[in-house]
Amino acid sequence: AQSVSQHNHHVILSEAASLELGCNYSYGGTVNLFWYVQYPGQHLQLLLKYFSGDPLVKGIKGFEAEFIKSKFSFNLRKPSVQWSDTAEYFCAVNSDEKLTFGTGTRLTIIP
Amino acid sequence: KAGVTQTPRYLIKTRGQQVTLSCSPISGHRSVSWYQQTPGQGLQFLFEYFSETQRNKGNFPGRFSGRQFSNSRSEMNVSTLELGDSALYLCASSLGHHKETQYFGPGTRLTVT
């Protein structure tokens, strides 16, 4: 069965700091990869996705993620975070059967 | 296009009761998936429906069931509620293939007392 690991449970950063959230998955076949974000009091929204092609994908609000197949990783990055990026971030992997989520990373940005 | 809608948004039930939650997918979407979100377990897949048929199922007891109607709307039912069923229940829709992007609704917050 596939699984997704997000090793950072809670990350606290100051505004303008750079961000990298880790995501690793275990599945040997072809996968589609996603990052979703859940802002306080709001529903889950798609941040970005990777299906095929360029392994560096850009999403909304300045986020990007890099798919490294050899490392089974899909880390999320942002060069300079803002207070409004405070949210919970979920990595998800879709293989043959279903969408599997990581446990999420809570990101707190200090003004 | 309107997004995924879920009703009701909040629900309080007593142990032993049963509950039905509703989900209307984005127009044109034929696949509906349900997830349970709790602080301890994160997002857990319940089941997926496509063209009125359950296409996939997660590891939940038989008390959790669902169905999909011909207009792609879906309902989820939980019978004999337990305290541990308190959670945010999320519905997501996609065009059809289960590898496509899923779009989530706001969820139904169920509290079991």
Side-chain angles (χ1 to χ4, degrees):
Chain A
Q2 65 190 25
S3 65
V4 181
S5 297
Q6 290 182 247
H7 304 295
N8 312 108
H9 297 295
H10 189 191
V11 173
I12 302 172
L13 293 172
S14 298
E15 273 193 316
S18 64
L19 168 73
E20 181 159 4
L21 301 182
C23 173
N24 288 89
Y25 65 94
S26 65
Y27 184 75
T30 304
V31 294
N32 293 342
L33 300 158
F34 305 83
W35 276 97
Y36 284 88
V37 60
Q38 193 170 32
Y39 297 104
Q42 296 188 29
H43 64 277
L44 218 55
Q45 301 172 40
L46 181 68
L47 205 51
L48 49 78
K49 62 186 178 185
Y50 171 80
F51 281 15
S52 65
D54 188 345
L56 184 62
V57 292
K58 296 191 184 298
I60 60 172
K61 304 187 180 185
F63 286 91
E64 63 179 32
E66 185 175 12
F67 170 52
I68 303 179
K69 191 174 181 180
S70 60
K71 294 185 178 180
F72 297 90
S73 71
F74 189 55
N75 292 353
L76 181 70
R77 300 195 293 247
K78 186 171 183 178
S80 176
V81 294
Q82 301 172 305
W83 177 79
S84 58
D85 293 326
T86 294
E88 190 149 16
Y89 293 80
F90 294 91
C91 179
V93 174
N94 200 339
S95 63
D96 292 328
E97 295 186 347
K98 60 183 182 180
L99 190 62
T100 300
F101 283 86
T103 50
T105 296
R106 188 154 62 100
L107 175 65
T108 302
I109 305 301
I110 301 169
Chain B
K1 263 187 189 175
V4 178
T5 58
Q6 293 186 244
T7 57
R9 293 293 310 278
Y10 302 91
L11 207 48
I12 300 175
K13 289 286 188 179
T14 305
R15 266 184 306 175
Q17 288 186 313
Q18 68 94 26
V19 67
T20 300
L21 312 181
S22 181
C23 171
S24 293
I26 292 171
S27 177
H29 285 194
R30 296 172 64 194
S31 169
V32 172
S33 297
W34 288 89
Y35 297 85
Q36 182 194 65
Q37 185 178 18
T38 58
Q41 300 292 320
L43 280 132
Q44 306 257 296
F45 172 74
L46 280 155
F47 28 64
E48 183 209 359
Y49 285 87
F50 177 77
S51 292
E52 302 178 66
T53 302
Q54 188 180 87
R55 187 158 65 176
N56 206 349
K57 190 177 188 306
N59 297 324
F60 278 81
R63 300 186 296 108
F64 292 81
S65 63
R67 59 178 176 168
Q68 187 180 34
F69 302 94
S70 57
N71 61 358
S72 294
R73 191 177 70 85
S74 177
E75 285 182 350
M76 189 193 108
N77 185 275
V78 188
S79 63
T80 320
L81 284 166
E82 300 176 0
L83 294 178
D85 297 333
S86 294
L88 182 67
Y89 290 89
L90 296 172
C91 166
S93 75
S94 67
L95 280 169
H97 194 279
H98 42 58
K99 277 197 168 187
E100 292 170 345
T101 303
Q102 294 187 19
Y103 297 90
F104 284 79
T108 294
R109 172 75 61 187
L110 171 65
T111 302
V112 182
T113 61

